[in-house]
Amino acid sequence: MRAHATLLLVLLTSVAKANDYLWVDFSAGLPTTFALENADGMELRGDIYKNIDLQKAWQACRLPDHGYTAFSPTRSTDASRPEENRLTLPAVTIGSADAHVVWEARSVHHQIAETYRVEAKVAGTDTWVTLCEAEADRGQWQLHHASLADFAGHDVQVAFVATTCNGFALAIDNIEVGIPTKARFALDNRTSHYICADESAHVCGRLTNFGTTTVWDHLVVEVEGSEVARKAVPPLAIGQSLTIDLPIPVATGRTDYELIATTPDGTRETLATDFVVAGAAKRVMLIDRCTGTWCNNCPLEAIEVARLEQQFGDEVLIVEQHINDAFMLADYYYTKEFVFDIPKLVVNHLPSSIKTDGFTAAMSQPAEVGISARATLNDDGSYQAVCHLEGTTDGVVRYLLLADLHTDALESTYVQRNAPSSYSWEEYYYQPGAILPEMSTYRNVPVAVVEATDGAATVQRPADLPADTPLTLVAIVQHPTTGEVLNCCRVTCHDEDGISPIRATQPAHYYDLQGRRIQHPQRGLYIHNGKIFRQS
């Protein structure tokens, strides 16, 4: 059915009384006072989502970490231009220049970022003003705000407009219009988790206010219930941030801490809990993501991988160890008891970490040996690698060559391809109709592993890898008996001039909006490097 006209589920705002303040969290579904609009009249695809009816421009669906949220699909049957699905809020009287619109947003898929606009207009007029254009974070909720000061003295309507053709969903939640009354803070925590025992540990981050002016007086760090650091907090107006850098004492091993906000009347609010691990050397944790292209449950595990990467950054190195498919590297398939079932996340090759109760323990082990490495890029495309170990160890050094792999010949019946979909836990991801080639990429797949002699080895690039395949070389030091990874690092690669990067340039491939590779793009919309562009 083509949406030739605006779908209204509201009493017209011209006859409705404006609100003085609006808050909605979609816990009861999509309010009947909201207007839904398929702005350009294109027919929506209805066959590429699970449990999301794409015949509707917006609707409420449930995510496990947020309850019900507003969803908009972002793909249409017209491949020549983006769909623009509009969600228009009822009118709110803006009585002060302090008024804002505050909301949370995320791209439902954890690898594709949906784009959208937030617009406003004086109720009863036709002129929309763009407040901001945004790219939703991939799989993570983010707070946003925009000022409504220019609309002071007017009744205003705010609209959220989904603007991409990716074929996934944009989620919006916890919308507030008016002078904020709720304390809403986002903590961007960048604490280093793994340090040398002789280094100082710091609780770091940036605290941003997205709600009412804070009444906190201090930020306090506590270890085992005892205060170890504090910082005075000045009043933070909406949009203002406070940089956090609090040194804390740590002992060898794991130190858990809480970051707490306090008010003058003694009220306490825990903002974050985290940890620091101190050892003889800094550590990078090797995490094997045991996966397979045939597994319908593996996409859900990919969500956890994305969260680990966000929390730990370059303090973890995640390898996709494929089981029983074309991407499996037999030399790296270390012990079958580790991967008797998938999906699994295995830390440092420790069998105990495949269970939930062992994962925290594996992530808490301090490093007793440090490792650093570099390599020379040879004329034949191989790498001559050398590593240096700090500390006493009889460990075995291995070099692992990782590649980003993908195939163009994908069957749409494969739900798991590229970790996009899951039928369980009500986390809704893309169910393939036509799969975007960028989403068929498997990242950091082992393609070669070589044991070093005296820390040195030549690592050959597999002959069947295309020349433009992105590569990463890593060095790992393992216990000679158990195979436990004691530490690892990404290898710095240099050519004769000392400036060659290890990671190759991404392939310059172009695709149409149905995911088909295009050799010679003509006029229209195409996808290149994960972004949509117009070829004129």
Side-chain angles (χ1 to χ4, degrees), residues 137-256:
D137 196 50
R138 304 177 185 190
Q140 302 291 333
W141 287 100
Q142 283 189 332
L143 274 165
H144 302 269
H145 76 96
S147 174
L148 294 172
D150 291 342
F151 293 90
H154 298 279
D155 291 347
V156 65
Q157 288 183 277
V158 173
F160 292 87
V161 188
T163 58
T164 73
C165 283
N166 281 336
F168 301 94
L170 170 70
I172 303 290
D173 201 5
N174 295 327
I175 304 172
E176 186 176 18
V177 183
I179 298 176
T181 63
K182 302 175 184 295
R184 301 170 72 182
F185 291 88
L187 178 64
D188 182 17
N189 192 353
R190 299 301 180 194
T191 296
S192 294
H193 295 87
Y194 298 101
I195 64 172
C196 296
D198 58 355
E199 292 181 336
S200 298
H202 291 259
V203 177
C204 299
R206 185 179 68 252
L207 186 69
T208 305
N209 179 25
F210 287 91
T212 186
T213 300
T214 177
V215 294
W216 294 339
D217 59 353
H218 287 91
L219 294 178
V220 175
V221 179
E222 291 187 358
V223 174
E224 296 182 351
S226 298
E227 181 180 318
V228 297
R230 69 166 40 218
K231 179 182 181 68
V233 179
L236 296 176
I238 188 168
Q240 288 187 324
S241 297
L242 176 69
T243 299
I244 303 169
D245 187 354
L246 296 171
I248 62 172
V250 296
T252 299
R254 175 173 170 136
T255 300
D256 291 274

Side-chain angles (χ1 to χ4, degrees), residues 436 438 509-513 526-533:
L436 299 179
E438 285 76 8
H509 296 156
Y510 295 84
Y511 305 91
D512 66 17
L513 298 185
Y526 296 92
I527 299 170
H528 176 56
N529 289 337
K531 294 185 179 296
I532 295 176
F533 78 100

Side-chain angles (χ1 to χ4, degrees), residues 470-530:
L471 296 173
T472 300
L473 187 63
V474 301
I476 59 177
V477 54
Q478 297 176 259
H479 190 281
T481 304
T482 66
E484 176 187 353
V485 175
L486 305 176
N487 214 334
C488 63
C489 69
R490 290 173 176 82
V491 176
T492 301
C493 184
H494 297 279
D495 60 14
E496 292 182 356
D497 297 325
I499 57 173
S500 177
I502 187 68
R503 182 167 286 277
T505 302
Q506 289 281 358
H509 296 156
Y510 295 84
Y511 305 91
D512 66 17
L513 298 185
Q514 279 68 52
R516 298 168 297 198
R517 182 180 289 184
I518 303 299
Q519 296 295 334
H520 302 291
Q522 303 297 317
R523 192 172 182 180
L525 288 177
Y526 296 92
I527 299 170
H528 176 56
N529 289 337

Side-chain angles (χ1 to χ4, degrees), residues 277-525:
V277 177
K282 289 185 178 180
R283 152 159 262 166
V284 174
M285 312 294 289
L286 182 71
I287 298 181
D288 283 293
R289 180 190 171 215
C290 301
T291 187
T293 58
W294 45 268
C295 173
N296 285 342
N297 294 315
C298 285
L300 199 61
E301 178 218 26
I303 302 170
E304 297 304 319
V305 170
R307 290 171 179 165
L308 281 171
E309 289 179 317
Q310 184 185 52
Q311 180 181 3
F312 292 95
D314 58 6
E315 294 178 333
V316 297
L317 202 160
I318 297 175
V319 173
E320 280 201 18
Q321 182 190 173
H322 280 249
I323 311 302
N324 296 331
D325 66 22
F327 294 145
M328 176 177 169
L329 180 66
D331 292 341
Y332 189 64
Y333 188 81
Y334 39 89
T335 305
K336 289 194 175 183
E337 66 175 294
F338 288 4
V339 288
F340 66 89
D341 189 18
I342 68 170
K344 284 287 184 287
L345 299 180
V346 181
V347 182
N348 290 334
H349 291 198
L350 289 170
S352 62
S353 66
I354 65 175
K355 302 182 187 303
T356 301
D357 57 358
F359 197 78
T360 300
M363 297 287 285
S364 303
Q365 295 298 316
E368 299 302 325
V369 59
I371 184 170
S372 59
R374 63 170 292 161
T376 301
L377 183 61
N378 298 324
D379 292 339
D380 62 359
S382 65
Y383 302 103
Q384 189 64 40
V386 178
C387 79
H388 173 68
L389 301 181
E390 300 174 0
T392 303
T393 179
D394 56 356
V396 177
V397 174
R398 290 185 172 89
Y399 294 99
L400 186 62
L401 190 62
L402 308 177
D404 289 354
L405 303 176
H406 79 279
T407 174
D408 293 328
L410 293 180
E411 301 274 344
S412 63
T413 54
Y414 282 104
V415 175
Q416 192 272 335
R417 290 293 186 183
N418 202 15
S421 181
S422 176
Y423 59 83
S424 61
W425 293 6
E426 298 186 359
E427 185 86 51
Y428 301 124
Y429 285 88
Y430 180 78
Q431 167 111 19
I435 302 175
L436 299 179
E438 285 76 8
M439 298 307 301
S440 69
T441 299
Y442 298 88
R443 307 186 187 284
N444 286 348
V445 178
V447 294
V449 59
V450 177
E451 184 169 327
T453 302
D454 296 327
T458 300
V459 184
Q460 295 288 344
R461 178 192 184 99
D464 56 350
L465 280 182
D468 57 1
T469 302
L471 296 173
T472 300
L473 187 63
V474 301
I476 59 177
V477 54
Q478 297 176 259
H479 190 281
T481 304
T482 66
E484 176 187 353
V485 175
L486 305 176
N487 214 334
C488 63
C489 69
R490 290 173 176 82
V491 176
T492 301
C493 184
H494 297 279
D495 60 14
E496 292 182 356
D497 297 325
I499 57 173
S500 177
I502 187 68
R503 182 167 286 277
T505 302
Q506 289 281 358
H509 296 156
Y510 295 84
Y511 305 91
D512 66 17
L513 298 185
Q514 279 68 52
R516 298 168 297 198
R517 182 180 289 184
I518 303 299
Q519 296 295 334
H520 302 291
Q522 303 297 317
R523 192 172 182 180
L525 288 177

